[in-house]
Amino acid sequence: MATYAPRVRSKVDVFISQLRARAGQPVNITEWSMFFTFDVMGVVGFGKDFRQLEDAKEHSAIKGIHDQMAMIGLLSQVPWFLYMVGSIPAISGSYYAFTEYCYRQVNEKKALWERTESQDLTDIISWLLKAFKDNDPSAPPSQRALGEDGRVLIIAGSDTTGATLANAFYYLATNPSVYKQLQNHLDTLFPDDRESFTYEQIRDIPYVEAIMRETLRLKPAVPSGPPRVTPPGGLQVDEVWIPGDVNIIVPQYVLQRDDRNFVDADRFMPERWLAENKGKMVLNEEAYFPFQIGQYGCVGKQLAYMNLRFAIVLAALNFDLGLAPGEDGIEFDTGAKDTFTLTVSPLQVIFNKRMKA
Ligand code: HEM
């Protein structure tokens, strides 16, 4: 993870400088959050910069993924059908184009390795490629599976983190007292310099952690979670018997908003996660699992946190923010769709440069 920090930081710096250039004007923070997280995943996933932040527009390979997520959301309950549809260009359109793009990146890297015999292990796909070449038992079983891993990596890492960052900005813009408290806290930690801290210095700031946790509790980026299959002998859950080989889901969104698990469960209250309140406000921590748990739990959790920590801390140190005139946030708050990952609506936010205290 430590080797990713400078690359993530350099992308966050572009993100912040673009917000600075648009200070005082409405910014669609959903779009910019996605630019940021897709760019990061391109760089640390493939060693390929999509440069969406620099160009202020969506890369052609990524265009359309969000429309296609609707199809994925619907068909992921029938994985074999999704696989089949995803392979037919005429039906799957830009989803197919993105798949092809990812396969090409993996193939190019593989060819480069074969030509140069140098194995540059600075991005995630290179580790998978190395495992594949070494016939490691953990490796993807075929060239196609390797390409699929590349595709899944980008979608799983970018869409989720981008939606979470946009959600965090929504909560910060609509809860000014929380944002002020965050800024005061960070000002105390970094009184003289708002830019040159290390990742180590921001990786465990309780109020920042609380804001991320609370955002992921109310708006988990994979709201229903992937399906699981019951064991062949069936499964007893309290008084309910589920037969064997049945697909089930345990939706985070529902459990994480249940008053039996969290006091005032529908309200954004980051302070519930602070040590002094947790015992009273988090009634059942086992019901909190935005990254899922167990051996199939998200492999990218720490990378997601790194993106979010850098972006939230730098934004709070550099800007005051609020919803843009004419933006009430209602469509953003209520119109998000469960398309396997969470598809969020545009949100117009104004960032104003902070005066030096
Ligand atoms: C806030 C951000 C994120 C959330 C909420 C999230 C959540 C999840 C969840 C719930 C799963 C399903 C786990 C299971 O099946 O038990 C998952 C899988 C996965 N995540 Fe994340 N994730 C996030 C960010 C990332 C990042 C940054 C990466 C990049 C490395 C990543 C890579 C993956 C991969 C490769 C899988 C496996 C997908 C598969 O098996 O098809 N995720 N994630």
Side-chain angles (χ1 to χ4, degrees):
M1 282 302 298
T3 66
Y4 298 149
R7 282 172 279 170
V8 174
R9 175 64 202 256
S10 79
K11 278 285 155 191
V12 186
D13 286 344
V14 184
F15 177 63
I16 295 294
S17 73
Q18 291 286 33
L19 293 181
R20 206 173 277 136
R22 288 160 182 76
Q25 304 162 31
V27 166
N28 175 1
I29 198 59
T30 301
E31 181 179 52
W32 281 92
S33 297
M34 291 292 168
F35 288 170
F36 164 54
T37 55
F38 272 90
D39 273 9
V40 167
M41 276 319 297
V43 172
V44 302
F46 283 147
K48 191 93 185 176
D49 194 344
F50 293 124
R51 291 187 59 83
Q52 302 184 111
L53 285 169
E54 287 83 351
D55 298 342
K57 67 173 200 274
E58 207 168 42
H59 187 281
S60 56
I62 290 164
K63 233 181 186 57
I65 285 187
H66 291 111
D67 300 339
Q68 300 302 322
M69 285 313 285
M71 176 178 86
I72 296 175
L74 200 63
L75 298 183
S76 60
Q77 308 305 325
V78 197
W80 61 267
F81 189 54
L82 175 63
Y83 180 75
M84 194 181 88
V85 169
S87 323
I88 305 172
I91 302 179
S92 61
S94 48
Y95 173 62
Y96 181 82
F98 178 66
T99 305
E100 281 304 292
Y101 177 85
C102 294
Y103 285 16
R104 217 168 40 245
Q105 301 307 317
V106 176
N107 288 340
E108 279 174 16
K109 190 156 279 256
K110 188 160 173 276
L112 180 73
W113 277 26
E114 276 154 16
R115 276 200 312 276
T116 61
E117 286 195 8
S118 80
Q119 299 193 345
D120 176 13
L121 294 170
T122 49
D123 52 55
I124 301 172
I125 206 72
S126 294
W127 284 99
L128 298 178
L129 199 52
K130 180 175 183 324
F132 184 70
K133 284 187 69 157
D134 295 349
N135 286 323
D136 189 285
S138 70
S142 65
Q143 176 70 33
R144 188 177 174 91
L146 192 60
E148 268 302 286
D149 278 356
R151 182 186 67 79
V152 168
L153 189 68
I154 301 289
I155 294 186
S158 316
D159 220 31
T160 47
T161 318
T164 304
L165 184 57
N167 286 326
F169 280 123
Y170 163 76
Y171 283 123
L172 293 173
T174 52
N175 292 272
S177 62
V178 171
Y179 195 58
K180 192 79 225 147
Q181 196 171 331
L182 172 66
Q183 288 180 316
N184 291 342
H185 193 61
L186 293 172
D187 288 347
T188 317
L189 288 174
F190 307 108
D192 304 321
D193 188 348
R194 292 178 175 163
E195 303 285 333
S196 54
F197 48 78
T198 65
Y199 183 55
E200 282 311 308
Q201 286 174 284
I202 60 158
R203 66 173 299 167
D204 204 11
I205 302 173
Y207 204 56
V208 176
E209 301 302 294
I211 288 168
M212 289 191 308
R213 293 197 73 139
E214 188 69 345
T215 301
L216 280 162
R217 183 183 70 79
L218 284 169
K219 295 182 183 285
V222 186
S224 301
R228 295 282 192 262
V229 181
T230 54
L235 191 66
Q236 185 78 40
V237 181
D238 292 337
E239 68 281 11
V240 179
W241 167 253
I242 307 172
D245 296 325
V246 169
N247 277 355
I248 53 168
I249 56 165
V250 182
Q252 293 99 309
Y253 185 91
V254 176
L255 268 72
Q256 293 180 178
R257 281 180 177 250
D258 191 320
D259 282 330
R260 288 169 296 183
N261 298 324
F262 300 94
V263 168
D264 228 342
D266 278 331
R267 276 190 60 202
F268 179 74
M269 292 192 286
E271 65 276 15
R272 79 170 76 241
W273 296 104
L274 300 178
E276 62 271 26
N277 300 327
K278 211 165 152 188
K280 290 173 282 191
M281 298 177 79
V282 176
L283 305 176
N284 175 14
E285 199 169 355
E286 286 182 355
Y288 180 80
F289 54 111
F291 294 94
Q292 285 283 356
I293 39 179
Q295 63 172 322
Y296 297 108
C298 177
V299 293
K301 181 173 163 178
Q302 293 308 329
L303 180 58
Y305 279 147
M306 183 185 278
N307 285 334
L308 297 169
R309 286 175 183 134
F310 267 134
I312 292 171
V313 168
L314 272 166
L317 282 169
N318 283 283
F319 304 108
D320 292 322
L321 58 77
L323 294 182
E327 172 65 85
D328 56 17
I330 293 175
E331 167 56 25
F332 182 87
D333 188 32
T334 59
K337 295 188 181 60
D338 179 356
T339 53
F340 184 59
T341 55
L342 191 69
T343 295
V344 288
S345 305
L347 181 73
Q348 300 297 332
V349 173
I350 293 196
F351 291 81
N352 284 311
K353 284 182 214 168
R354 286 183 78 195
M355 297 301 130
K356 283 255 182 243

